[in-house]
Structure formats: C-alpha cells, structure tokens
C-alpha cells in the first residue's frame, strides 16, 4: 500500500509541471500578444476612418473601440472574453474574429493532422527499417535522404512537389482546397502535396532520432534476455525496444508542431489555401488588430495543446517521463 501511494505521489509530481507549464506560458503569451497590438504605433481608428478623419472623429472611434481605457483593464477584458470564445470584432469588416478564424481553422487543422500522420508513418518506417539493418544500403539511403530533407525549408519542398506531381506528371492539383465534408478522396487530392511539404522535414528528424535510439535499445541486455526467453522478434521490437526508444522521436514530433504551423504561412501562399496563416497576413496588411491578436492566440493555444499531449505521452511511455 505504501509503495502504491509513493508511486502515485511520484506520478503526480511529474504530471503537475506538465500541466502547469502550458497555463503559465499561455498567460504570458496572451499578454505579449495583446501588448503587441495595443502598444503598436499605428492608430486603428485613423486607419478605419481614412485620411479625411478629424481628431474628434478619431477620438470618438477610439472610445468606441475601447482604446482610451487603461492597458491592463483592456487586457483583462480581452482575455476574459477570449476564454469564452469571444475574440472581438474586426475593425474593418465588423465580423466577429472568432467566426473568421473558425471558418479558416479547419483548413490548418486537417492539413496539420495529415502532415503529422505522414511524418509519423514515413519517419517511423524509415527509422525502424534502418535500425533493424544498421550499416546496410537501406540504412545509408535513409541517413542520406533524411540529412538532405533536413536542410530544405517547406516552401522549397512544396515548389519541388508542384513541379513533379502537378507540372510534369499532371497527377495532382497545384493549389486550391476542397473541404473534407466534400469527400475524403477529393480533399486528399488537394491536401496531400501541402501536407507532404510540411511533413517531410519532420519525418526526416523522426527517422534520424528513432534510428539512433532504437539501435542503442536493441543492443541492451533486456532485449537479449527477451530473445533468450523465446519472445518473437516482432514482440521484442514493438512491446519492449520501441517503447523505450520512441522518446526522442516523440520530442521531435512535439517540436515539429510549431514548425508545421509556422511553415503553413508560406505553404498556404504557395498552394493558395484559405487558412489561418493567410487570414493573419491579410489582417497584418490592414492593421486589423483584433484579427491579428485572435489568430495569434488561437495558434498559440493549438501549439500548447499539442505539446502538452506529447509530454503526457512521454510520461506514459518512458519510465522517468520526459518534458521538452
């Protein structure tokens, strides 16, 4: 009983920082996000009213926007509303920011989800295959290809994929987007190239990390003991060695989520995708502060949720846990 309580206490001590850290980061990031817009030298009221606006008109519009209130009061109100899903209204279209973001967010989430699946499948298969035959031709090819892909940014990979699969082969569309509700196959035809462009860099990192870690685990005494006891190769690999070797690859995957979202800015431009990144760029061109703040806050939230899930998986899979 005492041992069980000690294990539960140790698990709680490991779990508490994993859950508390994202909350602290979210508050600090939201404060920075709001501050970047609130302290910007540009005047949203003047931008909305145009060059013919008088000082009285600008003062009236500032009061309507609530820009004449103290900074901390505005931040507290904004964050409180944001936690309930209210991100304000666009200064220019008066459309609720949450409506604009959540109309574009499925594009990014589905592409990011497909990119993560492709990264795990391609990187995992390549890393496991290379680790099972270290020093072989396959191992050398995986190492060479992974090293090459790791140096290429997503927009270069995206242009290369368009040239090969759209221009030369004519097999896939070069741009545009079809929602998943229209059917899986039509969606996949438009989504596969941008998802590949976002995933190959992460897949290369997963393959390298998994190969190195798994080679080390396969040489451990517990693996030799499992083989001596008559356990099959597949069970030894997936039930024992891979469980202990997957930690670095999971960490790479957690770090890769911000890379996927960051790469989406350029990828959406290349493939003409109506996602959150393009919405943020349009808001920045117009100095639409509520829309900029909303897109940043939603992106930060997605990144923190994904990283927290990865850290929880590391705590589950590794004896000592792991935090990025």
């Amino acid at each position: 009983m005492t041992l069980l309580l000690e294990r539960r206490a140790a698990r709680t001590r490991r779990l508490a920082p994993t859950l508390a850290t994202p909350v602290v980061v979210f508050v600090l990031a939201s404060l920075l996000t709001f501050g970047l817009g609130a302290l910007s030298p540009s005047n949203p009221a003047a931008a909305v009213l145009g060059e013919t606006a008088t000082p009285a008109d600008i003062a009236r519009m500032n009061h309507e926007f609530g820009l004449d209130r103290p900074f901390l009061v505005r931040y507290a109100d904004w964050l409180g509303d944001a936690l309930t899903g209210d991100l304000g209204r666009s200064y220019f279209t008066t459309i609720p920011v949450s409506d604009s973001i959540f109309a574009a967010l499925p594009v990014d989430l589905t592409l990011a989800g497909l990119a993560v699946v492709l990264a795990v499948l391609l990187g995992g298969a390549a890393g496991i295959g290379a680790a099972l035959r270290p020093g072989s031709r396959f191992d050398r090819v995986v190492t060479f290809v992974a090293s090459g892909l790791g140096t290429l940014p997503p927009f270069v990979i995206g242009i290369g994929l368009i040239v090969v699969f759209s221009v030369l082969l004519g097999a896939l569309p070069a741009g545009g987007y079809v929602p998943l509700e229209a059917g899986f196959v039509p969606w996949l035809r438009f989504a596969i190239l941008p998802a590949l462009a976002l995933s190959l860099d992460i897949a290369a990192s997963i393959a390298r990390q998994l190969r190195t870690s798994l080679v080390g685990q396969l040489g451990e005494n517990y693996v030799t003991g499992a083989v001596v006891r008559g356990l099959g190769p597949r069970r030894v690999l997936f039930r024992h060695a891979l469980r202990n070797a997957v930690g670095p690859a999971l960490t790479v995957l957690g770090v890769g989520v911000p890379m996927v979202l960051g790469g989406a800015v350029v990828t959406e431009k290349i493939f003409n995708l109506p996602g959150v990144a393009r919405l943020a760029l349009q808001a920045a061109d117009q100095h639409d502060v509520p829309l900029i703040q909303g897109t940043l806050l939603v992106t930060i939230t997605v990144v923190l949720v994904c990283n927290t899930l990865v850290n929880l998986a590391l705590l589950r899979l590794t004896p000592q846990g792991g935090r990025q």
Side-chain angles (χ1 to χ4, degrees):
M1 185 67 178
T2 303
L3 181 59
L4 180 61
L5 292 176
E6 290 179 353
R7 288 179 177 177
R8 288 181 177 177
R11 189 181 299 114
T12 302
R13 286 195 300 268
R14 290 162 49 197
L15 185 61
T18 302
L19 297 178
T21 300
V23 175
V24 176
V25 173
F26 175 81
V27 173
L28 294 177
S30 66
L31 180 60
L32 179 61
T33 298
F34 184 81
L36 289 175
L39 302 178
S40 172
S42 61
N43 190 313
V48 170
L49 294 173
E51 298 179 355
T52 59
T54 64
D57 293 332
I58 294 176
R60 176 180 53 80
M61 186 65 70
N62 280 331
H63 180 72
E64 291 183 7
F65 289 160
L67 301 177
D68 54 353
R69 295 183 299 160
F71 171 80
L72 290 180
V73 174
R74 291 157 53 197
Y75 167 70
D77 290 344
W78 175 77
L79 183 60
D81 291 339
L83 293 176
T84 64
D86 181 6
L87 296 172
R89 290 180 176 270
S90 166
Y91 285 158
F92 293 88
T93 65
T94 69
I95 297 174
V97 171
S98 57
D99 290 352
S100 299
I101 292 176
F102 292 123
L105 190 60
V107 177
D108 295 88
L109 292 181
T110 53
L111 286 179
L114 180 58
V116 169
V117 170
L118 291 173
V120 171
L121 293 178
L122 296 175
I128 293 173
L132 293 177
R133 297 186 294 275
S136 65
R137 179 177 298 179
F138 181 78
D139 183 21
R140 292 194 296 269
V141 169
V142 168
T143 302
F144 176 78
V145 173
S147 299
L149 288 176
T151 63
L152 298 177
F155 77 90
V156 173
I157 298 176
I159 293 173
L161 291 173
I162 290 175
V163 171
V164 174
F165 291 98
S166 300
V167 178
L168 298 180
L169 300 179
L172 294 169
Y177 182 77
V178 171
L180 190 56
E181 293 79 6
F184 179 77
V185 174
W187 168 79
L188 187 61
R189 290 189 71 249
F190 284 86
I192 187 66
L193 290 187
L196 272 175
L198 293 171
S199 68
L200 289 181
D201 182 24
I202 303 172
S205 298
I206 291 176
R208 290 198 304 268
Q209 293 290 339
L210 187 57
R211 185 263 179 205
T212 301
S213 182
L214 189 55
V215 166
Q217 291 297 324
L218 290 174
E220 293 290 337
N221 292 333
Y222 75 89
V223 173
T224 304
V227 174
V228 170
R229 291 196 303 272
L231 298 182
R234 183 173 299 179
R235 183 175 181 182
V236 172
L237 174 63
F238 290 102
R239 293 289 298 274
H240 299 282
L242 189 59
R243 179 186 178 94
N244 293 322
V246 77
L250 272 178
T251 302
V252 167
L253 186 60
V255 174
V257 171
M259 294 173 57
V260 168
L261 295 176
V265 176
V266 179
T267 304
E268 287 182 9
K269 192 74 173 179
I270 294 174
F271 291 96
N272 192 29
L273 301 173
V276 173
R278 191 168 76 173
L279 185 66
L281 289 176
Q282 293 173 349
D285 289 338
Q286 295 178 327
H287 301 287
D288 196 341
V289 175
L291 192 53
I292 296 173
Q293 292 171 335
T295 53
L296 287 176
L297 189 67
V298 170
T299 302
I300 290 167
T301 302
V302 172
V303 170
L304 289 176
V305 169
C306 292
N307 282 343
T308 301
L309 292 176
V310 169
N311 283 329
L312 291 175
L314 284 170
L315 286 173
R316 177 72 175 175
L317 290 173
T318 58
Q320 299 300 324
R323 294 181 60 237
Q324 297 171 40

